[in-house]
Amino acid sequence: MTFPPPRALAPAERTVSSRRAPGGGPAVRASYDTVAEDDAELVGQGMEPEATWERAVLRAFAESVAPGGRVGDLGCGTGRTAGRLRGLGVSVLGVDLSPQMLRVAARDHREVPFRTGDMTRLPLAPGALAGALAWYSTVHSPDEQVEAMAAEFARVLAPGGVLCVAFKVGADGSAPAGWLRHAYGHEVRLPVYRRPVDALCALLGRHGLTETARVVRGPDGGEPSPQGFVLLRRGARVAGSAS
Ligand SMILES: C[S@@+](CC[C@H](N)C(=O)[O-])C[C@H]1O[C@@H](n2cnc3c(N)ncnc32)[C@H](O)[C@@H]1O
């Protein structure tokens, strides 16, 4: 995933800094509330802007989930991945921080239920999901927040449940690789993190999520970094989760 698509962001609009991220949630929500309508229009509601590997990973994820099980698209944005999973026969619900992104998602994907929520404290019961998808929704969050999200992913997944994370790959995830200050013609303020695959898997592993597969593809279409996709399975026992 190019974030945002290259045609929507001129190189001069990018400002790269090594400053650490601010608090996270409110700034991320405000930025996505601002771009919601244009995000839906520019990124599109299918997966057309995505490469073959993205579609393959989503299909592998969908086929890994227990038949009939419910999947949470966590940080679902305007619902394009939720819509694709639904098209693959998966029972899916979407959760996002941004009410405006969800307004567009509900408008464009009427068959999918959506609810407002923060991945660091998900509005879902323990063990409620057979699968969880975090498709580029951790890319604006520092490690300490991703740690809290990982605990929540493990809590809401049933034993044996599958997590799929799409993210940007980089050498050092401890600080933002850059800041997005303009997107889709709007001013935003979003740190962008790129993480080593091993580091992310180790972080998730601390919460009882065991890696089953990883895919890394090279940059495509002007993307500044490789893209990573990991599938993990929740073990039988996770602290604070249904067993
Ligand atoms: C890069 S967009 C990806 C959206 C969608 N997954 C897609 O691929 O089209 C990141 C999304 O994650 C959401 N997000 C970021 N942090 C979040 C959090 N802590 N809880 C819930 N949603 C979050 C944002 O509101 C935004 O919609």
Side-chain angles (χ1 to χ4, degrees), residues 44-100:
Q45 288 306 300
M47 297 297 289
E48 293 81 15
E50 312 286 5
T52 302
W53 286 107
E54 278 76 350
R55 293 195 300 273
V57 169
L58 280 174
R59 179 172 288 279
F61 168 64
E63 291 179 3
S64 301
V65 172
R70 175 152 274 210
V71 166
D73 185 350
L74 309 176
C76 61
T78 51
R80 63 195 179 125
T81 41
R84 175 157 286 269
L85 289 173
R86 168 90 186 184
L88 292 170
V90 172
S91 169
V92 60
L93 67 91
V95 176
D96 201 278
L97 204 53
S98 159
Q100 292 306 318

Side-chain angles (χ1 to χ4, degrees), residues 1 3 25 28-29 32 39 43 50 73-81 95-98 101 117-120 135-141 145 149:
M1 176 189 191
F3 178 79
V28 171
R29 179 171 53 238
Y32 276 98
D39 176 282
V43 175
E50 312 286 5
D73 185 350
L74 309 176
C76 61
T78 51
R80 63 195 179 125
T81 41
V95 176
D96 201 278
L97 204 53
S98 159
M101 294 290 270
D118 189 324
M119 289 187 287
T120 62
W135 196 258
Y136 293 104
S137 51
T138 58
V139 298
H140 304 305
S141 300
Q145 281 180 14
M149 291 171 188

